[in-house]
Every structure is written in C-alpha cells, then in structure tokens.
Amino acid sequence: MAWEKWDALVAAETEIARLRVDVNQLPMRAEVIERAVKCTAPWERSTALTFLQDFPEEVPRLLEPLVDLCLSSRWAPSAREALWSARYDIDAQVLGDVVLRYLADGDVEDYRLLADTLTYIEAWPALGELIAQAGRSDDAEVREIGEELARSYRGLLP
C-alpha cells in the first residue's frame, strides 16, 4: 500500500513537471501566468507562484502584483521566492519605484514586510530607497524602522 502511494506521487510529480514545460512553451504564457498571479483562487495563485520559481522569465513584468503579494502574510513567502528566482533580471530602479508606490500610504507593518522582501532578495538599492522614504515619514514608528534598517544594512546599501 505504501509503495503504491509513493509510485502514484512520483507519477503525479512527473506529470506536473511535464505540464510546467508545456505551459512554459505556450505562446500566451505571459498572459496565463499574469492572470493566475492576480487570481484570488488560492490553488491557481499558488501554482502560478511555484511556476515562476521554476521559470522566472515573467517575474520582471509582474513586479506590481508580486510586491502586492509580499504585503500578505499568506502569500509573501511564495512571492519572495518568485522574486528571488529572478533577482538578477529585475531592474533595481523599477523595483524601487514599485516599492515606493506601495509604501506611499504604507504603515509600519508594510515597511517591515517590504524591507524583509528586499533584504531577502538582496535588492540593496531598493532597500536604500525604502529607508530614505521611511526617514521622511510623519510616523515615528516608520522613521524608527528606517533608522534600524540603515544601521543593520549600512555596509550593503549603495
């Protein structure tokens, strides 16, 4: 019984890998993945984020929804992994701009979550922009987070 279950799992994983390759070769791959990342159905979104970890070519186009997902404790780990997979292909200035837009009305928790994401993917220029924006905040807690981040990552910031 145990080996039958194992064999079924291996067969399913093999089929999933084959289907991922097939989806990656679709002419409308970009549209399919974008729709799935933005979808609120958990399995569809989860599948899209896992797909992006294996095939990160679409990640730079999807910075807006991925940064948005980084503000959700449920989706942040998978969105960070997708961003990590494409970290060398992401334009630092574009990422910084996206993050700053999301923080325009952000609270201290938003700053923490996005700072965690930026440090995880080693996006030091964007983290520097986040710290600068935190320093201009009217919220004392946000300014304090900015100061703490500046001290912690001083040697890595541009």
Side-chain angles (χ1 to χ4, degrees), residues 3 5 9-10 16 22 37 47 49 53 58 69 72-73 78 80 82 86 89 102 118 123 135 143 146 152 157:
W3 288 110
K5 294 288 186 189
L9 178 61
V10 169
I16 288 170
D22 289 350
V37 167
T47 300
L49 292 171
Q53 292 171 34
E58 299 304 324
L69 292 175
S72 161
S73 58
S78 296
R80 283 183 193 143
D89 298 320
Y102 273 90
L118 297 174
R143 287 193 310 273
S152 296
L157 298 171

Side-chain angles (χ1 to χ4, degrees), residues 86-129:
R87 67 194 176 282
Y88 300 118
D89 298 320
I90 295 172
D91 182 298
Q93 185 61 51
V94 173
L95 178 60
D97 291 347
V98 170
V99 166
L100 293 183
R101 278 196 300 278
Y102 273 90
L103 291 175
D105 298 320
D107 60 16
V108 70
E109 189 60 24
D110 294 338
Y111 274 84
R112 278 192 180 117
L113 288 168
L114 291 182
D116 286 347
T117 295
L118 297 174
T119 57
Y120 182 78
I121 66 171
E122 301 175 355
W124 309 122
L127 182 63
E129 292 179 39

Side-chain angles (χ1 to χ4, degrees), residues 34-46 68-69 74-75:
E34 181 174 5
R35 185 199 62 146
V37 167
K38 293 178 178 178
C39 182
T40 58
W43 278 108
E44 188 158 352
R45 181 179 283 164
S46 177
D68 184 50
L69 292 175
R74 178 178 188 178
W75 296 110

Side-chain angles (χ1 to χ4, degrees), residues 59-84:
V59 168
R61 282 186 348 94
L62 298 171
L63 290 179
E64 292 276 345
L66 290 171
V67 167
D68 184 50
L69 292 175
C70 287
L71 292 170
S72 161
S73 58
R74 178 178 188 178
W75 296 110
S78 296
R80 283 183 193 143
E81 288 299 325
L83 290 165
W84 170 261

Side-chain angles (χ1 to χ4, degrees), residues 2-24:
W3 288 110
E4 290 170 5
K5 294 288 186 189
W6 178 256
D7 289 343
L9 178 61
V10 169
E13 291 286 346
T14 301
E15 179 65 8
I16 288 170
R18 186 189 64 72
L19 289 169
R20 281 193 182 119
V21 169
D22 289 350
V23 167
N24 192 46

